[in-house]
Amino acid sequence: MNRRTTALSAAVALTAALALTGCSSSDSADSKSGPDLKVSGAFMPQPVMDMAGGFLTITNSGDAADKLTSVTSGLSDDVTIHETKNQKMQEVKSFDIPANGELKLERGGSHIMFMELKKQPKQGEKVAIELHFEKSDPIKVDLPVEAANHNPKQH
Ligand code: CU
């Protein structure tokens, strides 16, 4: 094999490698870039009236930020996301989930708000919800119903 053929076959191999890379990165399901979300520590304190709060942590181990944009549940047709400022809560359009960061919904802070509950879930039951994001696919989560005063930060 002379020098020219070697250079040529190297170029062919490089082109093939590029073609492969281009192919896999166009398939977003296999792509490693973008947000990579995981939910942990989810719970709902047993509601005392016909409204309830939901708390959880969303960890993003991906290299792109995402946003929590809405929450749906069979428990209520009126589910919103709230932040707490100066001890007053107000509805927000979305919560940021930073790249390589987390979004914490916790007592006294940001939370999911369920109004006009269709039933009263009791401690030990689970409430199914679905989280919707700007970029990521929806994530289904079961919120275990805890005691009305449950607060993991105090443990
Ligand atoms: Cu609220």
Side-chain angles (χ1 to χ4, degrees):
M1 205 189 267
N2 65 32
R3 207 171 249 187
R4 210 187 137 128
T5 346
T6 312
L8 184 65
S9 51
V12 168
L14 183 64
T15 311
L18 285 175
L20 275 176
T21 313
C23 184
S24 69
S25 71
S26 68
D27 182 0
S28 62
D30 287 338
S31 171
K32 286 277 188 328
S33 67
D36 185 4
L37 307 180
K38 273 208 180 64
V39 177
S40 62
F43 72 97
M44 170 184 286
Q46 181 174 308
V48 288
M49 290 181 292
D50 71 340
M51 62 175 81
F55 305 94
L56 47 83
T57 299
I58 301 171
T59 308
N60 182 2
S61 56
D63 60 4
D66 205 343
K67 281 179 189 208
L68 175 66
T69 52
S70 69
V71 180
T72 50
S73 171
L75 181 66
S76 163
D77 292 329
D78 182 0
V79 186
T80 48
I81 46 179
H82 287 181
E83 64 179 5
T84 307
K85 278 210 172 132
N86 302 321
Q87 302 190 340
K88 280 192 185 145
M89 59 186 190
Q90 61 188 68
E91 187 176 343
V92 294
K93 285 208 166 66
S94 65
F95 282 123
D96 290 334
I97 312 167
N100 291 302
E102 61 180 14
L103 166 66
K104 276 193 174 197
L105 305 183
E106 53 191 358
R107 300 199 81 139
S110 303
H111 55 276
I112 304 165
M113 193 94 199
F114 306 77
M115 306 292 284
E116 296 179 34
L117 304 185
K118 294 175 184 172
K119 64 181 199 100
Q120 294 280 120
K122 296 273 181 291
Q123 191 173 348
E125 295 180 356
K126 283 193 170 145
V127 173
I129 66 168
E130 195 166 88
L131 306 172
H132 300 266
F133 304 96
E134 187 180 61
K135 295 177 191 148
S136 302
D137 290 335
I139 298 179
K140 290 192 163 113
V141 188
D142 281 335
L143 300 183
V145 180
E146 303 281 2
N149 62 357
H150 180 73
N151 188 350
K153 274 205 298 195
Q154 291 168 349
H155 285 272

